[in-house]
């Protein structure tokens, strides 16, 4: 699968074996499209924040107007979907790791619950990165640890939350 950066968002290209198709499941719109659930819009995993349904039109399909937020970058998306059609629903994985170190290059050393380490995720950008660095420093001073929550969906994997644990 192709690894994409978020800034590539507007110039998406998918081949026949795209992450869009292999990491989603088609589910009927009237079942999948509920507030708080995930779906895929424009090749991105999103969380539904608002839905309105129009009445059946002259062509026989009621439509849902869906507003959703990208789970990784917070970008807002809107889509009109016939209620009788299928929509792609991403397979979203959530894993917690203990932060072992933050490398000079920004890569994190993480340990899973079964003591497996990984070093392939970078510190996220922005405020969350500052919070992680601050928590890491505080945890080292106080003998505690930092737990990071990582979300993975549609070929994208990113640290999304952090907290200090005993």
């Amino acid at each position: 699968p192709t690894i994409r950066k978020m800034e590539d968002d507007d110039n998406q290209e998918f081949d026949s074996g795209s992450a869009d198709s292999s990491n989603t499941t088609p589910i009927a719109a009237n079942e999948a499209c509920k507030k708080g659930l995930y779906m895929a819009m424009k090749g991105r995993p999103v969380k539904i924040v608002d839905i309105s349904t129009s009445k059946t039109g002259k062509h026989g399909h009621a439509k849902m107007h869906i507003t959703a937020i990208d789970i990784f970058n917070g970008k807002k998306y809107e889509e009109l979907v016939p209620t009788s059609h299928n929509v792609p629903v991403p397979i979203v994985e959530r894993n917690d790791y203990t932060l072992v170190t933050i490398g000079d290059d920004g890569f994190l050393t993480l340990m899973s619950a079964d003591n497996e380490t990984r070093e392939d995720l970078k510190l996220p950008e922005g405020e969350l990165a500052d919070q992680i660095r601050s928590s890491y420093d505080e945890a080292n001073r106080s003998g505690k640890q930092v737990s990071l929550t990582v979300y993975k969906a549609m070929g994208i994997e990113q640290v999304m939350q952090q907290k200090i644990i005993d």
Side-chain angles (χ1 to χ4, degrees), residues 55-107:
K55 294 182 180 175
T56 305
K58 64 180 178 179
H59 296 293
H61 292 290
K63 293 206 176 3
M64 299 175 101
H65 178 259
I66 303 164
T67 305
I69 304 294
D70 189 302
I71 64 172
F72 292 116
N73 65 19
K75 188 175 177 183
K76 183 178 175 181
Y77 290 94
E78 294 187 16
E79 202 166 291
L80 210 55
V81 179
T83 57
S84 59
H85 288 195
N86 284 345
V87 295
V89 175
I91 298 162
V92 179
E93 295 178 31
R94 178 185 184 268
N95 292 299
D96 292 318
Y97 294 93
T98 301
L99 176 59
V100 179
T101 60
I102 301 173
D104 294 336
D105 57 0
F107 278 93

Side-chain angles (χ1 to χ4, degrees), residues 128-155:
L128 182 57
D130 297 337
Q131 292 171 357
I132 292 170
R133 285 186 193 280
S134 173
S135 292
Y136 180 69
D137 291 341
E138 183 183 327
N140 281 335
R141 284 193 302 273
S142 62
K144 295 183 179 183
Q145 296 180 319
V146 178
S147 174
L148 300 181
T149 302
V150 176
Y151 281 72
K152 179 179 181 179
M154 299 177 69

Side-chain angles (χ1 to χ4, degrees), residues 101-109 119-124 133:
T101 60
I102 301 173
D104 294 336
D105 57 0
F107 278 93
L108 305 170
T109 302
E119 300 176 344
D120 59 334
L121 283 178
K122 263 197 144 167
L123 197 60
R133 285 186 193 280

Side-chain angles (χ1 to χ4, degrees), residues 14-88:
F14 295 106
D15 58 15
S16 59
S18 72
D20 191 30
S21 62
S22 63
N23 295 315
T24 62
T25 304
I27 298 179
N30 57 355
E31 292 293 319
C33 297
K34 293 180 174 43
K35 213 172 182 177
L37 296 182
Y38 299 113
M39 71 178 282
M41 280 188 188
K42 297 175 178 56
R44 300 286 300 177
V46 298
K47 189 172 196 173
I48 299 169
V49 294
D50 192 45
I51 299 169
S52 60
T53 307
S54 66
K55 294 182 180 175
T56 305
K58 64 180 178 179
H59 296 293
H61 292 290
K63 293 206 176 3
M64 299 175 101
H65 178 259
I66 303 164
T67 305
I69 304 294
D70 189 302
I71 64 172
F72 292 116
N73 65 19
K75 188 175 177 183
K76 183 178 175 181
Y77 290 94
E78 294 187 16
E79 202 166 291
L80 210 55
V81 179
T83 57
S84 59
H85 288 195
N86 284 345
V87 295

